[in-house]
Amino acid sequence: MELNDMTLVIAYYLILNVYGFYIMGADKKKAKRGEWRIKENTLWLVAFIGGAAGLTIGMNTYRHKTKHRTFAAGLPALMVVHLILFVYFLYKLS
């Protein structure tokens, strides 16, 4: 595989995880202000398609959704799955 393909995989995960971190912080800010919130389904969608690490880091950084068992246990578990897949794809693409 070409370097461009590896770059795309790395960029994909990096962008999704930065976005995941951002939306977790944005949702926390909205919660403090009593504004309309980001739907949990949206958070899970971003996590599922590759942003679980960013959401997990955001959850712990902003102390947001940490009391929700599905987030507190599910996001780190999904993050591990994604890290394994990420390493697998990088190995297969090299």
Side-chain angles (χ1 to χ4, degrees):
M1 179 170 235
E2 296 178 15
L3 180 60
N4 290 338
D5 294 333
M6 286 176 51
T7 304
L8 287 175
V9 169
I10 292 168
Y12 174 81
Y13 277 103
L14 184 63
I15 290 167
L16 273 174
N17 284 292
V18 168
Y19 181 66
F21 182 82
Y22 167 77
I23 64 172
M24 190 61 84
D27 191 49
K28 175 69 174 198
K29 185 183 271 187
K30 287 174 180 273
K32 283 184 171 182
R33 293 179 178 173
E35 297 175 356
W36 287 98
R37 306 277 301 282
I38 297 170
K39 293 180 182 179
E40 288 188 359
N41 286 340
T42 302
L43 297 174
W44 280 113
L45 176 64
V46 172
F48 182 73
I49 63 173
L55 282 163
T56 301
I57 294 167
M59 176 180 65
N60 291 311
T61 300
Y62 299 112
R63 294 188 213 155
H64 187 53
K65 304 277 188 199
T66 55
K67 292 183 180 178
H68 295 241
R69 289 185 186 194
T70 54
F71 281 94
L75 285 179
L78 193 55
M79 178 181 71
V80 170
V81 170
H82 283 149
L83 289 174
I84 291 168
L85 289 172
F86 179 73
V87 170
Y88 172 78
F89 281 123
L90 286 181
Y91 173 76
K92 287 300 251 182
L93 298 177
S94 62

